C-alpha cells in the first residue's frame, strides 16, 4: 500500500492501509476537490470468541458508525482542494481487540494517510501543504467512580461512562462521542476528561511525528 501502519494500544492492534486513486465520488467530479474515506472491520478472531465475518453488504450499525467517524476525523486533517481530484481510502482492520479500536484506527489511520501522500510528492504535489494538522484520538471511561484513560476490554465493559475524543495538534476538538451507561457524569468530570485527553493526544502526536518525520 502507499501507506501502511501497524498501531498498538496495549493489546489492541490495528493494521491501517492507505490507498490513493486518481478519481473521486460522483458528487465531487468537476469540483477540483479530493476525498478521504475509511473502511473499518474486525477479523473473526480479533475477540475472545469468534465473531461472524462481515461483508460490505452485511455490516453492523456499529461498523458503519465507526468507519464514518474515522473518515470524518481524517478529512478534517486534509486540505481537500489541494489534494485535487484524488481519493484516499484508509482501511482499518482490527486484528486484536482489547478496547479502543476506533481511537487506535483514527490515530494509526492518520499516519498511514500521511505516508501515502508523501509517496506522491513531486514538483506539482506537496504532501506537507495538504496535511492541515496532525490528528489523534483516545478513549475514556469512568469505572467505580474513577476516570480511566485508554480502557481495556474488562474496564470498558464495566464502565459507567464511555467517551471518545478526537483532537488536532492545537488540541482543538474534532469530535466527541460520550455516553453515560448507568450513572450520569458531571460537567466537571467531562472537563477533567477533556483536559486529560489533551495531554494524552499531545503525547500521541509526538509519536506520530516520530514515525512520519
Amino acid at each position: 500500500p502507499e501507506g501502511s501502519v501497524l498501531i498498538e494500544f496495549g493489546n489492541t492492534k490495528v493494521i491501517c492501509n492507505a490507498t490513493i486513486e486518481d478519481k473521486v465520488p460522483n458528487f465531487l467530479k468537476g469540483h477540483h476537490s479530493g476525498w478521504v474515506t475509511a473502511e473499518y472491520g474486525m477479523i473473526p478472531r480479533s475477540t475472545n470468541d469468534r465473531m461472524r465475518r462481515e461483508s460490505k453488504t452485511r455490516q453492523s450499525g456499529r461498523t458503519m458508525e465507526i468507519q464514518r467517524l474515522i473518515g470524518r476525523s481524517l478529512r478534517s486533517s486534509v486540505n481537500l482542494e489541494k489534494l485535487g481530484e484524488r481519493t484516499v481510502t484508509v482501511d482499518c482492520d482490527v486484528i486484536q481487540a482489547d478496547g479502543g479500536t476506533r481511537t487506535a484506527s483514527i490515530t494509526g489511520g492518520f499516519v498511514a494517510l500521511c505516508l501515502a501522500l508523501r509517496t506522491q510528492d513531486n514538483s506539482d504535489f506537496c504532501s506537507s501543504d495538504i496535511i492541515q494538522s496532525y490528528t489523534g484520538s483516545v478513549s475514556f471511561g469512568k469505572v467505580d467512580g474513577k476516570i480511566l484513560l485508554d480502557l481495556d476490554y474488562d474496564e470498558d465493559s464495566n464502565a459507567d461512562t464511555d467517551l471518545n475524543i478526537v483532537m488536532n495538534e492545537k488540541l482543538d476538538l474534532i469530535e466527541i462521542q460520550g455516553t453515560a451507561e448507568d450513572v450520569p457524569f458531571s460537567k466537571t468530570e467531562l472537563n477533567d476528561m477533556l483536559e486529560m485527553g489533551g495531554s494524552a493526544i499531545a503525547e500521541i502526536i509526538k509519536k506520530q511525528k516520530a514515525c512520519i518525520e
Side-chain angles (χ1 to χ4, degrees), residues 108-141:
F110 174 80
V111 176
L113 169 66
C114 290
L115 295 176
L117 291 174
R118 184 176 289 181
T119 67
Q120 308 298 301
D121 280 338
N122 56 44
S123 58
D124 300 316
F125 185 98
C126 181
S127 59
S128 60
D129 289 339
I130 294 169
I131 296 297
Q132 298 184 128
S133 178
Y134 277 68
T135 298
S137 183
V138 73
S139 63
F140 296 90

Side-chain angles (χ1 to χ4, degrees), residues 87-106:
T87 293
V88 184
T89 302
V90 180
D91 291 293
C92 302
D93 294 296
V94 180
I95 60 173
Q96 187 166 292
D98 190 30
T101 60
R102 71 186 68 196
T103 55
S105 296
I106 293 167

